[in-house]
Amino acid sequence: MREFAEPFRHGWRQAVEVRATLVDFQSPFQRIQVLDTVPFGRMLVLDDAAQTAEAEEYVYHEMLVHVPLLAHPDPRRVLIIGGGDGGALRRVLAHPVTLARQVEIDGDVVRLSRELLPSISAGAYDDPRADAVIGDGVAHLRDTAERYDVLLIDSTDPVGPAVELFGDAFYRDARRALGGTGLLVTQSGSPLVMLDELKAARALLARHFPIVRTYVCSIPAYPGVLWSFTAASEAIDPARIDLAAARSRLRALGAPTGYYTPAVHAAAFALPNFLRAALEMDDDGDPAPLPPPVPGQPPR
Ligand code: SAM
């Protein structure tokens, strides 16, 4: 049986066994593969990087969507940049939003995901509140006069068409589109094997937003498994949620979750000491951190 593995990062990579390749297609933007894997079922792979998989996509999508939408007092208008697999769109539509707009640059990702990974979007594209736009998210945010309550950057890592989605001008435009009261969440990579990307995104966001908060979760199909999201806002601190209020709002959605709970939400912002040290976060009375681990080296 063949295997799929992402490129090594800091000498580390993981691999999955592949039963079958359902599609291997070069779009104008990237190589698109859908693989039938042994551990995670069908998996979307873009330019040799795992994006989402049937058996574990709920972790990423619930933490990307429910954290900001339950931190925001009343999210009505949501913009998703990227997200062509439709998993984020589906979770946004579980909330009482009036608009869920998705701007995905690659129409082939949407087409092949709806065809070969239907359980991920699960009919979200047919919801009358959904507006699926094919286009560059950078240009969309630069040119829009519309305002949004929540902006979700569900993009590939900062390579190729996604580079500017982690850029200064894009975050400036995001601040304008959120109108001082909304919040943004971006996928910000692995704290273990993509620490520089995470630090760079936090530093750039801090130029435009007074509140910048990183939270983590475990995504089985991703390099290093430990994955981060970073939230930014002028007004809302997603790390400070009212657990009881979030519980009753989540219950009212009637959308079962596989990973997200309000307690997991709150805990996700309690970062381990090595990461606090690596992100130079101020000391809030916890024991002094051990020196940050060096990938490939045993902890000191
Ligand atoms: N969960 C995945 C991750 O964290 O790696 C992201 C999944 S989603 C499929 C990523 C999408 O971002 C891709 O379909 C890609 O085409 C899209 N994308 C990349 N750059 C973009 C841009 N500038 N504007 C809009 N979509 C973009």
Side-chain angles (χ1 to χ4, degrees):
M1 194 177 291
R2 87 169 185 88
E3 66 175 50
F4 163 74
E6 293 201 12
F8 279 104
R9 285 189 179 92
H10 297 287
W12 177 354
R13 73 174 180 181
Q14 55 218 62
V16 295
E17 282 189 310
V18 175
R19 286 195 197 91
T21 297
L22 305 178
V23 73
D24 189 346
F25 174 82
Q26 183 63 41
S27 84
F29 300 96
Q30 54 212 335
R31 179 184 181 191
I32 305 176
Q33 294 173 77
V34 177
L35 308 175
D36 183 11
T37 72
V38 171
F40 304 127
R42 292 185 175 191
M43 174 190 272
L44 174 67
V45 175
L46 299 177
D47 283 346
D48 294 319
Q51 300 295 309
T52 190
E54 291 173 319
E56 48 84 78
E57 57 85 24
Y58 64 90
V59 182
Y60 175 95
H61 290 123
E62 289 177 8
M63 293 304 279
L64 171 70
V65 174
H66 296 329
V67 169
L69 269 78
L70 289 171
H72 189 288
D74 185 24
R76 294 294 173 174
R77 295 173 53 81
V78 177
L79 177 63
I80 304 164
I81 304 282
D85 53 75
L89 183 65
R90 170 179 153 205
R91 271 57 180 219
V92 168
L93 291 164
H95 293 259
V97 297
T98 52
L99 172 70
R101 177 167 291 142
Q102 177 186 285
V103 179
E104 161 61 61
I105 200 167
D106 193 336
D108 291 311
V109 170
V110 175
R111 174 177 62 81
L112 291 166
S113 297
R114 292 187 72 173
E115 197 185 309
L116 300 170
L117 296 153
S119 67
I120 296 184
S121 56
Y125 287 105
D126 305 322
D127 187 304
R129 298 167 297 159
D131 178 24
V133 177
I134 302 299
D136 182 355
V138 175
H140 183 88
L141 209 56
R142 184 190 60 227
D143 303 338
T144 189
E146 296 197 42
R147 291 286 177 270
Y148 296 94
D149 300 311
V150 176
L151 169 54
L152 303 174
I153 306 161
D154 180 10
S155 77
T156 38
D157 299 331
V159 290
V163 167
E164 287 179 66
L165 297 177
F166 294 80
D168 198 45
F170 179 77
Y171 291 150
R172 182 201 59 225
D173 294 338
R175 179 177 173 165
R176 190 196 68 248
L178 290 169
T181 56
L183 83 159
L184 149 165
V185 168
T186 182
Q187 72 90 358
S188 47
S190 159
L192 295 174
V193 294
M194 297 159 76
L195 187 57
D196 295 341
E197 289 92 336
L198 169 56
K199 290 168 86 171
R202 285 173 55 88
L204 274 179
L205 283 165
R207 279 202 196 152
H208 300 281
F209 297 93
I211 301 171
V212 175
R213 299 276 183 270
T214 293
Y215 59 102
V216 294
C217 65
S218 306
I219 302 182
Y222 282 4
V225 179
L226 185 67
W227 203 255
S228 75
F229 297 93
T230 297
S233 178
E234 289 184 73
I236 299 170
D237 183 346
R240 300 183 190 287
I241 57 155
D242 172 335
L243 285 180
R247 274 199 197 96
S248 63
R249 281 176 63 186
L250 185 64
R251 212 170 292 125
L253 297 184
T257 60
Y259 193 93
Y260 179 91
T261 70
V264 165
H265 173 150
F269 289 91
L271 302 181
N273 244 354
F274 83 86
L275 191 46
R276 296 175 58 76
L279 298 178
E280 294 147 21
M281 289 171 71
D282 54 11
D283 175 1
D284 58 5
D286 284 329
L290 289 174
V294 178
Q297 303 291 322
R300 288 166 286 152

